[in-house]
Amino acid sequence: MYTFMKILSFLICHMPACMCHGLGRFLGSFFWTFVPKKRKKLAQRQILECGITNDAAEAMAIAKKSTTRFGPMIVEVLSYPRYTKDILDSKITFHGRAYLDELKASGEGAVFMASHAGNWELLGAVLAMNGYPLISVAQEQNSKSADTFINEYRVMMKQHVTYKTGIRDMIRFLADGHYIGLLMDQDPGFAGVMVKLFGRDTLTADGPAKLAGIRNYPILSIFIHEDRPYHHVVEVLPPIRPYPVGAVLSKEEKKKAMYDVTQQLNDRLEAHIRQYPEDWFWLHNRWKWTNRYKAKHHLQ
């Protein structure tokens, strides 16, 4: 896998743009063709249940677009060896960049809340290449060669990578003024906290809130959206702090603060997905463990 991806990356880096774009479209269509029918129906059902649309055909079209986008995404990631900062800057428009610059000037650590919407790999690369000290928290891949490849390309884009199990490292990085990037939109299993998403009870990862709550670090929600082929808008929303600055809270008050912050982050995620539904990863069974939890505890 590693050798294959390196060869494909080499070829893409030496292709003219029109051929790269064509390859991206082909790969996207290829992926959709081999998605099991059951998984396609799952995506369609989730889109309908979330109220994105009431039309089944439109829901399936959204599910297809959310899958075929992976073709161009992969082409962009495999193009990393030829990307300079200037090339990256030409592909990106920032909204809310002042929040990042204010944070950097303060020297304070922070938690970045991101999601599997848009090209999240490119988002990490853009932030790191622009001098924001990002620590990307990754899920270790089952394939060792695939894991080696993607982490090599992340490091190429000035990112530091740590795994989800490296909690002590994350705490140390925050204290040193780094930014911990966490994806919090997928099903966390029974480990999550039950808050609302699209009006539905949803087990949600509370890692961003808990990590920020250690020293009341700010949390910045950052999203990326492709507004035209191979050009993206990065949107940075105002920071959220778990507690009022200087507040002394009881254990119960802190617990409620973790719940409230996680709900705020889900609200921001939902607003982004409603605006760009084709950007999200609908093939993921987002409510799998929520439904199991509710069945186990006999909840409606």
Side-chain angles (χ1 to χ4, degrees):
M1 175 63 74
Y2 178 86
T3 302
F4 171 76
M5 296 302 287
K6 290 288 284 188
I7 292 172
L8 184 58
S9 176
F10 176 84
L11 293 174
I12 287 173
C13 288
H14 291 81
M15 285 181 184
C18 60
M19 289 184 66
C20 288
H21 295 179
L23 177 61
R25 291 191 296 272
F26 168 78
L27 289 175
S29 297
F30 179 83
F31 297 152
W32 178 249
T33 300
F34 287 93
V35 172
K37 185 176 181 180
K38 183 178 179 180
R39 186 63 63 170
K40 292 178 180 178
K41 287 290 186 181
L42 167 70
Q44 180 190 45
R45 185 176 73 249
Q46 291 188 141
I47 292 167
L48 291 169
E49 289 176 349
C50 289
I52 300 299
T53 178
N54 293 321
D55 183 84
E58 184 181 358
M60 186 60 78
I62 291 171
K64 182 177 181 179
K65 287 181 180 178
S66 78
T67 304
T68 57
R69 70 188 174 92
F70 280 88
M73 280 176 58
I74 288 175
V75 168
E76 284 190 304
V77 172
L78 294 180
S79 300
Y80 279 4
R82 68 181 182 86
Y83 282 175
T84 62
K85 182 179 177 300
D86 287 342
I87 290 176
L88 270 180
D89 286 348
S90 70
K91 295 167 63 67
I92 297 294
T93 297
F94 269 99
H95 290 168
R97 186 168 184 169
Y99 298 120
L100 291 172
D101 292 337
E102 289 169 8
L103 176 64
K104 187 176 179 180
S106 75
E108 187 177 17
V111 174
F112 285 0
M113 168 264 183
S115 65
H116 294 85
N119 192 339
W120 66 89
E121 285 290 346
L122 186 68
L123 174 60
V126 167
L127 293 172
M129 288 289 279
N130 273 275
Y132 304 109
L134 177 66
I135 308 296
S136 296
V137 180
Q139 175 70 50
E140 189 170 4
Q141 303 295 312
N142 294 329
S143 167
K144 180 66 176 177
S145 59
D147 195 65
T148 300
F149 175 83
I150 190 60
N151 285 334
E152 178 182 310
Y153 272 51
R154 287 166 176 157
V155 171
M156 188 185 299
M157 293 290 103
K158 310 299 183 186
Q159 298 178 73
H160 181 98
V161 180
T162 188
Y163 292 115
K164 288 184 177 180
T165 53
I167 302 299
R168 290 184 179 179
D169 286 340
M170 295 184 213
I171 294 172
R172 176 172 53 84
F173 286 131
L174 280 171
D176 290 340
H178 289 80
Y179 312 142
I180 305 296
L182 295 173
L183 298 162
M184 63 160 287
D185 59 324
Q186 292 198 326
D187 195 335
F190 287 167
V193 60
M194 192 76 80
V195 292
K196 297 291 185 181
L197 182 66
F198 293 101
R200 306 170 63 185
D201 290 333
T202 305
L203 283 170
T204 302
D206 57 355
K210 286 184 174 179
L211 198 57
I214 294 172
R215 291 188 181 176
N216 205 25
Y217 294 109
I219 306 173
L220 275 72
S221 304
I222 307 180
F223 299 103
I224 185 168
H225 166 69
E226 187 178 49
D227 62 337
R228 59 181 185 270
Y230 295 90
H231 184 273
H232 306 261
V233 174
V234 172
E235 183 179 12
V236 186
L237 299 184
I240 298 171
R241 289 188 186 269
Y243 325 120
V245 176
V248 179
L249 305 181
S250 67
K251 185 176 180 180
E252 284 304 312
E253 288 173 328
K254 286 185 177 181
K255 183 177 180 180
K256 184 179 185 303
M258 295 299 97
Y259 175 92
D260 290 344
V261 168
T262 303
Q263 183 62 69
Q264 287 183 67
L265 296 176
N266 257 11
D267 290 344
R268 288 181 166 189
L269 172 66
E270 179 181 331
H272 181 80
I273 296 170
R274 286 192 181 278
Q275 188 173 6
Y276 307 111
E278 69 283 355
D279 279 11
W280 201 40
F281 188 37
W282 290 103
L283 292 179
H284 172 64
N285 190 349
R286 181 62 185 86
W287 285 270
K288 177 180 178 180
W289 283 96
T290 298
N291 293 333
R292 289 184 179 182
Y293 178 90
K294 293 175 77 173
K296 180 179 179 180
H297 295 276
H298 308 288
L299 302 174
Q300 294 297 321

